[in-house]
Amino acid sequence: MAWARNVLRVNLTKGTCKNEPLNMEWAHKYLGQRGLATKYLVEETDPKVDPLSPNNKMIMATGPLTGTCASTAGRYSVVTKGALTGAIACSNSGGFFGNEMKNAGYDMIIFEGKAKSPVYLYIENEKAELLDAGAFWGKSVWDTEEGIKAKHQDPLIRVASIGVAGEKGVKYAAVVNDMDRAAGRSGVGTVMGSKNLKAVAIRGTLGVPVRDFKRFMKVTADAKKVLADNAVTGQGLPKFGTQVLMNVINEVGALPTRNHRDIQFEGAKNISAEAMAEPRKGDGKPNLVTNAACFGCTIGCGRVSTVERSHYTVVDRPQYQVASGGLEYEAAWALGAATGVDDLNALTFANFICNEQGFDPISFGATVGAAMELFETGVITTKETGGIELKFGSAKALTDLAELTGKGEGFGAEIGLGSKRLCEKYGKPELSMSVKGQEFPAYDSRGIQGMGLTYATSNRGACHLRSYTVSSEILGVPVKTDPHVTEGKAELVKAFQDATSVVDSSGLCVFTTFGWTLEDIAPQIDAACEGGWTVEKLLEVGERVWNLERKYNLAAGFSKKDDTLPARILKDAAKTGPAKGMVNGLKDMLPKYYEVRGWTSEGVPTNQTLERLGV
Amino acid sequence: MRVTVKLYALLGQYLPSGATDNQIEIEVAEGATVQEVFARFNVPPKSCHLVLVNGMYVEPSRRPQYALQNNDTLAAWPPIAGG
């Protein structure tokens, strides 16, 4: 139980939808969601496939706990070969779509092939059909979601869709569900667009049976109390959201600023959680309207915000004079510090556009930052930018480019390439702050050493959510470690990577781990699913998932040379703050990491490791 | 000597009027400790989870003895997280 034991296979080329049983042997080895979908992708596709070819597959996958009453149990992931990176991609989203998918009776939906013309998948409790999406093609995520609900005369349908960015091939297009929750990274929405698949709309009311109902109710209630009593998950995150980190990371000197040229941002205070709560000078209202929670979540870290109605971005544009998905820390950093812009209204507006047209604000903001450096160093001029004065700190340039990128128009089409392709195009590859083609998130690894190893070894390219050592190195959860030393970080990164792989495969949100350990999670999975789920067994699953992803990337053509960081991070010392004079010590951490992983000195899992894990 | 005190998130409520952007510059006696400065603002020590002096972490056991220097910046947060 807890698994629906049912997979929907959608062949877009043939226009068919077929149910098939879930491979339970794999479910017991890979749990669900990230791990299980990766296993299916590995078994069914060639790792060297062009991500935008019909031969690439895209899998939407829930975890066994998705749709249950466990706290935060509404997650789903989109797994495919990433359009931005060419590596394994797994983007995780909250909201309500994952719950609806599971309650419609599906663990997983596998999309293969390519539709001849735009379609959307409509599901109502195990009945699925492909419908013409011609009326929605060219529409935004927001209009598509509203349009599908109106067409079916059912406001309770949950929709995941792509915006125009996904249609136009923006390399970091997202799959957005419930208007502002996104499987955002690595270009999973680009893959969806390449298949002429506009949306997935689901109504599910079947329920999710669990193995031992009485025990499940007891352990999930106990675990919710742990979250409620924890100061982070019970108070800090609901009140301030992830944005509370803006001043923290600036203070410790690890806030990448102006394309990582600086490590502290003088405007951080203007775009922080505290600033979002302050009444604005113009209208006396704060940017933050309220917090918000995804399905089943007892934390509620989400932000709902407005742009001041007199701000240039929204004057005479009522569709943006609304309360909508507000800034999370990563988006605020990328749209703000990475570009040197500290206009909170402009950042909020740009974030609205990212949600509306479906593209990743991290890669977008970071790419704008790289383009600003190209502009300020004279590599590109207004001739290339279409007249945009692309200077660091220009809010107008940022918001203009958000709108152009969302539509794939003008210089926005080039920003839509991502920083790696953009900087290579103009002969300055070293200005792309990325790993495996994916842009860094909001932590400079000169000031937080473990994050350098995290980025270099992340299977989906630079990412904070693969091993969030910031939790230990800065926030002291579960134990405080020194952010400026490299010793012990190989073991720390491996531990975070394996544990996060488990959470990402379960249907739960990784933010629970600020309050929970696997000791809290294992009983919930065990009460829901047969299989004897202990902490030890879960950690083995996590390590297995990590090695499977690594094996896929190696087969796709990645190697040790890709486990690295840009020269700026390895050679240019931080200019200010506590990390002044430091570079990232990756060379001291990587060999040890390979060793603790049971990999060769070339970063290849040994046969012994693969046999031990049954990969 | 003068130090800058920054109190963030829920600790912001302990800042006196006149503080802007969650910070205030104050005059303290030579050798004033981290804990003494918190006491001056009635900040409960147990609420101070993350404490930084000039961006460097000061663990709880050192806060009663940690003497501030002229122009130091003391910053504190309750338990917080993000990502």
Side-chain angles (χ1 to χ4, degrees):
Chain A
M1 294 220 217
W3 294 285
R5 296 170 180 259
N6 196 16
V7 174
L8 175 64
R9 187 174 294 275
V10 179
N11 188 305
L12 293 159
T13 305
K14 296 177 185 170
T16 57
C17 302
K18 290 182 181 170
N19 290 353
E20 64 183 46
L22 183 71
N23 185 321
M24 290 308 297
E25 185 190 337
W26 292 352
H28 283 280
K29 285 180 74 175
Y30 294 94
L31 191 55
Q33 204 177 345
R34 173 177 164 186
L36 192 53
T38 301
K39 177 63 176 171
Y40 270 82
L41 188 79
V42 166
E43 293 293 333
E44 296 190 7
T45 62
D46 177 355
K48 292 196 183 298
V49 71
D50 177 344
L52 303 182
S53 149
N55 293 329
N56 189 16
K57 298 190 182 185
M58 185 189 91
I59 304 175
M60 288 180 162
T62 61
L65 292 183
T66 305
T68 70
C69 68
S71 183
T72 76
R75 312 294 300 191
Y76 79 103
S77 292
V78 182
V79 175
T80 186
K81 186 173 186 180
L84 182 68
T85 57
I88 188 85
C90 173
S91 289
N92 184 311
S93 181
F96 297 82
F97 178 83
N99 163 67
E100 205 73 19
M101 178 175 151
K102 186 71 172 288
N103 271 281
Y106 293 110
D107 296 300
M108 210 176 280
I109 306 171
I110 301 174
F111 295 96
E112 47 194 33
K114 176 180 179 179
K116 289 183 186 68
S117 59
V119 295
Y120 71 101
L121 177 67
Y122 178 68
I123 299 174
E124 196 171 343
N125 286 347
E126 292 186 322
K127 290 179 188 168
E129 58 183 332
L130 287 167
L131 300 174
D132 176 34
F136 304 119
W137 202 254
K139 303 281 189 193
S140 70
V141 164
W142 293 356
D143 289 342
T144 299
E145 183 165 336
E146 287 188 357
I148 288 177
K149 288 178 177 178
K151 179 182 169 184
H152 292 272
Q153 288 291 290
D154 186 352
L156 297 179
I157 290 171
R158 295 294 179 180
V159 179
S161 66
I162 56 167
V164 175
E167 297 174 13
K168 291 288 184 76
V170 169
K171 294 290 185 189
Y172 42 84
V175 179
V176 182
N177 55 281
D178 304 295
M179 306 299 263
D180 56 26
R181 307 309 305 182
R185 300 227 70 189
S186 310
V188 297
T190 323
V191 173
M192 187 163 162
S194 76
K195 295 186 174 303
N196 270 335
L197 178 64
K198 179 66 179 175
V200 180
I202 306 182
R203 186 78 178 97
T205 58
L206 297 176
V208 180
V210 294
R211 182 179 68 84
D212 182 341
F213 178 74
K214 269 185 84 171
R215 182 170 166 237
F216 188 71
M217 295 305 288
K218 168 80 169 63
V219 295
T220 53
D222 290 347
K224 285 175 186 171
K225 187 168 187 318
V226 172
L227 293 181
D229 292 345
N230 181 283
V232 172
T233 50
Q235 297 166 37
L237 279 172
K239 175 85 175 167
F240 292 97
T242 58
Q243 260 279 64
V244 76
L245 286 184
M246 187 64 72
N247 286 312
V248 176
I249 302 303
N250 195 45
E251 201 73 22
V252 301
L255 189 70
T257 300
R258 291 176 281 270
N259 202 33
H260 286 66
R261 293 203 302 197
D262 299 302
I263 203 165
Q264 290 181 304
F265 182 38
E266 64 284 355
K269 64 182 186 299
N270 300 327
I271 60 171
S272 64
E274 289 83 357
M276 287 171 71
E278 277 291 307
R280 294 181 287 228
K281 284 178 186 162
D283 63 4
K285 297 174 183 172
N287 171 284
L288 180 70
V289 177
T290 183
N291 70 326
C294 301
F295 172 82
C297 178
T298 55
I299 300 172
C301 73
R303 305 290 93 183
V304 178
S305 289
T306 59
V307 177
E308 204 166 353
R309 291 190 176 190
S310 60
H311 193 259
Y312 72 89
T313 52
V314 302
V315 170
D316 298 328
R317 303 176 81 184
Q319 70 269 37
Y320 302 116
Q321 294 177 1
V322 294
S324 189
L327 293 163
E328 314 286 345
Y329 171 59
E330 297 296 334
W333 162 76
L335 301 170
T339 63
V341 176
D342 69 351
D343 177 341
L344 188 58
N345 280 311
L347 269 53
T348 304
F349 174 78
N351 195 54
F352 282 4
I353 299 296
C354 289
N355 290 332
E356 184 191 28
Q357 295 298 2
F359 56 105
D360 173 20
I362 300 178
S363 283
F364 166 71
T367 302
V368 172
M372 285 174 163
E373 185 161 358
L374 289 171
F375 187 88
E376 291 211 345
T377 53
V379 177
I380 59 174
T381 66
T382 50
K383 188 179 165 194
E384 284 81 17
T385 66
I388 296 174
E389 290 286 335
L390 199 47
K391 292 179 178 171
F392 282 117
S394 170
K396 186 74 167 60
L398 174 76
T399 54
D400 284 352
L401 282 175
E403 299 206 65
L404 288 169
T405 302
K407 294 173 186 167
E409 295 174 353
F411 191 63
E414 298 206 10
I415 294 294
L417 295 171
S419 67
K420 180 172 183 286
R421 290 174 176 84
L422 179 78
C423 293
E424 282 173 351
K425 176 176 179 177
Y426 290 106
K428 294 286 180 184
E430 69 277 12
L431 295 187
S432 169
M433 296 297 113
S434 62
V435 174
K436 298 182 178 74
Q438 179 156 284
E439 289 73 18
F440 285 127
Y443 312 90
D444 195 303
S445 61
R446 288 169 289 195
I448 308 175
Q449 293 288 314
M451 290 306 287
L453 185 61
T454 287
Y455 297 149
T457 61
S458 164
N459 286 326
R460 71 168 185 178
C463 173
H464 59 296
L465 290 171
R466 287 299 174 267
S467 55
Y468 191 63
T469 62
V470 174
S471 185
S472 169
E473 293 180 277
I474 300 298
L475 305 173
V477 179
V479 291
K480 184 76 174 72
T481 53
D482 186 341
H484 293 166
V485 304
T486 55
E487 194 180 355
K489 296 300 165 64
E491 294 86 349
L492 187 72
V493 167
K494 178 184 180 293
F496 270 88
Q497 286 173 339
D498 291 350
T500 305
S501 298
V502 173
V503 179
D504 287 348
S505 300
S506 70
L508 300 174
C509 175
V510 74
F511 281 8
T512 57
T513 58
F514 291 121
W516 290 347
T517 67
L518 289 181
E519 298 279 352
D520 300 291
I521 292 172
Q524 299 182 72
I525 297 174
D526 189 55
C529 310
E530 70 271 20
W533 294 93
T534 61
V535 171
E536 292 71 28
K537 181 170 174 173
L538 288 174
L539 281 173
E540 193 176 286
V541 168
E543 191 176 4
R544 184 177 295 128
V545 172
W546 193 266
N547 278 272
L548 183 68
E549 292 175 337
R550 177 72 176 186
K551 203 176 157 198
Y552 179 92
N553 281 350
L554 292 172
F558 289 92
S559 67
K560 179 182 180 179
K561 70 174 173 44
D562 301 298
D563 295 341
T564 190
L565 302 168
R568 178 164 288 176
I569 306 300
L570 296 172
K571 294 178 180 172
D572 296 354
K575 296 174 193 163
T576 63
K580 185 177 179 181
M582 294 186 70
V583 296
N584 186 268
L586 181 65
K587 67 179 187 326
D588 299 325
M589 297 183 281
L590 193 61
K592 181 70 177 171
Y593 172 81
Y594 286 164
E595 184 188 324
V596 299
R597 272 260 167 244
W599 295 354
T600 69
S601 60
E602 291 302 302
V604 179
T606 63
N607 288 337
Q608 191 183 9
T609 297
L610 295 177
E611 282 167 19
R612 174 173 62 79
L613 296 168
V615 174
Chain B
M1 63 182 190
R2 296 189 75 75
V3 297
T4 300
V5 180
K6 300 179 177 180
L7 298 175
Y8 290 109
L10 291 171
L11 297 185
Q13 65 186 304
Y14 296 104
L15 282 167
S17 59
T20 55
D21 297 328
N22 287 80
Q23 60 181 284
I24 190 163
E25 194 176 307
I26 59 169
E27 192 79 31
V28 296
E30 292 287 329
T33 67
V34 166
Q35 188 153 306
E36 286 166 356
V37 172
F38 288 149
R40 178 163 159 182
F41 291 104
N42 298 313
V43 183
K46 281 186 178 173
S47 299
C48 298
H49 174 72
L50 178 63
V51 173
L52 307 173
V53 174
N54 302 328
M56 299 291 284
Y57 180 65
V58 181
E59 57 263 43
S61 63
R62 290 170 61 212
R63 293 171 197 168
Q65 308 89 356
Y66 192 106
L68 295 165
Q69 307 289 316
N70 191 34
N71 294 324
D72 273 355
T73 296
L74 170 64
W77 288 262
I80 44 108

